[in-house]
Amino acid sequence: MSSDDFTPEPPRLDRPSTGGPEEIPDWVRQLEREIRVGPATRLRIWFGRHARGLRLGVGAVLALALLAYLGAAGYRHVRRPADPPRAYPTVSPPAGIQATTAASPPPAAGPFDGTPAGAFPEGAAGITLPPAKATGGFTAKQVSATLTKVRTALVTARLDRAFMTAKDRERLVRQFAPDARRHLREEVSDASFISVATRLAPGARLLPDQPRVKGRVTYRATRDEQGIRMLRVTTNFVWAYAFLSPGAAPGDAVVVVHDTLVWEVPHPDDVRSRDNGLWLTDMGSYASNVDCAAFHKGLLDLGKGGDGKPVATPTPDRDSLYDPDRSLDIPDTC
């Protein structure tokens, strides 16, 4: 019997006999009709005989189908693109010859781990100057001298710890042209001066780790309203400071300051000696994760804003505050 036979062949009671049809009793014919196995019955019998194998087969098919579905779903999950980063307003670099931070960050672990500043160079290594080229009546030597003055002022203003803890601004102010010094002393308030320089609040404690720095320096020759030739230098930097703090999450102890400053040096042949030197003609900044009371006095310390949020830290793009190309136009939460 082949495997396709559902049941044994029933006896053929209707075969003709030598005695003729009349010799087959009616009860035999009736019995034949009652025991004949129809298609539905045959199917039930077959299922009964093969129930265990059928369950195993169906289980295997279902398992394969489930694996196929999960595999396809997993593939779709892997192939699905990640959610794009949230957009935030940025600025375009100013026209001119420029250089961006190029130094490699230090490999050691520290308080900046888990933040974008972990990939920034330490201190002055993050200030990369563009090549000095003759432009607009300024010689390459004059351009180089101007860029050096700007870099020295930046290092004093944002990285010199002796200046940060000093009670006056003179260490920085005396680096400007004589007439520019008077302006910085008399007309720039303490609250505004924080856009130019970092001064620590009493009791604020920086960790020994060097601040992390990233940004860009751009210069070009121009003329002011009076036709005086000017070498204009635009600096755009993010400064990240590590403060002593019990906070354990990445960035809890990090204060971020992002400033954009416009420095100008007039051509020495076009101005009086008192005007010759470094001028600051525009400034803007924001700070994040600072103490509000100190910040309003132009001083820096780790703290929280008046509403419990870090100062000027719009959620949910906190990491964007470390981007030098981020717009300075953000809300102050103090």
Side-chain angles (χ1 to χ4, degrees):
M1 180 183 297
S2 71
S3 60
D4 293 333
D5 293 328
F6 295 138
T7 59
E9 182 68 14
R12 297 293 297 175
L13 300 180
D14 58 348
R15 287 195 299 268
S17 65
T18 55
E22 64 278 4
E23 296 181 5
I24 302 176
D26 290 339
W27 65 268
V28 174
R29 299 182 189 278
Q30 180 66 31
L31 178 62
E32 181 183 10
R33 286 193 296 270
E34 290 179 356
I35 68 172
R36 184 180 296 276
V37 179
T41 305
R42 287 172 178 261
L43 187 60
R44 285 196 302 271
I45 295 172
W46 185 87
F47 272 119
R49 292 178 175 179
H50 298 80
R52 184 174 182 275
L54 182 62
R55 285 194 297 269
L56 292 176
V58 172
V61 171
L62 290 176
L64 290 174
L66 179 61
L67 289 175
Y69 171 78
L70 292 176
Y75 177 77
R76 287 195 297 271
H77 177 74
V78 171
R79 294 287 295 174
R80 184 176 59 196
D83 292 337
R86 291 180 179 271
Y88 52 86
T90 58
V91 296
S92 300
I97 301 171
Q98 64 177 275
T100 57
T101 298
S104 300
F112 300 103
D113 286 358
T115 74
F120 295 179
E122 288 183 320
I127 306 174
T128 301
L129 296 178
K133 299 180 181 180
T135 179
F138 292 87
T139 65
K141 184 176 180 180
Q142 289 172 321
V143 171
S144 177
T146 297
L147 293 174
T148 300
K149 288 180 180 179
V150 170
R151 188 179 192 275
T152 300
L154 287 173
V155 171
T156 299
R158 296 298 189 191
L159 302 175
D160 185 341
R161 298 201 180 201
F163 171 78
M164 290 183 196
T165 57
K167 295 182 179 180
D168 59 53
R169 313 174 185 176
E170 287 305 306
R171 185 185 292 263
L172 175 63
V173 168
R174 63 171 174 253
Q175 298 181 32
F176 288 80
D179 273 2
R181 298 172 195 168
R182 178 184 57 81
H183 172 73
L184 288 172
R185 292 188 187 113
E186 300 174 5
E187 299 181 29
V188 178
S189 66
D190 286 339
S192 298
F193 201 66
I194 199 169
S195 291
V196 182
T198 298
R199 295 191 299 159
L200 298 179
R205 298 182 61 185
L206 286 177
L207 292 176
D209 302 76
Q210 282 288 313
R212 298 296 178 88
V213 183
K214 182 179 181 181
R216 177 175 56 244
V217 178
T218 307
Y219 73 88
R220 67 184 181 94
T222 185
R223 290 179 181 266
D224 69 3
E225 306 83 27
Q226 300 174 342
I228 297 174
R229 290 172 291 177
M230 294 281 186
L231 189 63
R232 179 174 296 165
V233 181
T234 302
T235 60
N236 178 10
F237 280 95
V238 169
W239 316 85
Y241 301 92
F243 282 77
L244 182 65
S245 168
D252 279 357
V254 178
V255 167
V256 175
V257 177
H258 178 192
D259 62 36
T260 298
L261 307 174
V262 179
W263 317 72
E264 288 185 349
V265 171
H267 198 287
D269 295 342
D270 294 355
V271 296
R272 303 171 304 171
S273 59
R274 291 189 58 82
D275 293 329
N276 188 24
L278 196 62
W279 287 76
L280 190 62
T281 60
D282 196 13
M283 56 188 183
S285 71
Y286 62 70
S288 168
N289 209 28
V290 299
D291 178 83
C292 286
F295 188 72
H296 288 153
K297 298 176 182 178
L299 304 175
L300 209 63
D301 195 3
L302 182 69
K304 295 294 180 180
D307 59 358
K309 297 179 181 178
V311 170
T313 306
T315 55
D317 59 346
R318 182 177 180 180
D319 283 358
S320 73
L321 299 174
Y322 293 82
D323 184 357
D325 287 329
R326 199 199 198 290
S327 169
L328 299 181
D329 185 18
I330 62 175
D332 184 347
T333 58
C334 263

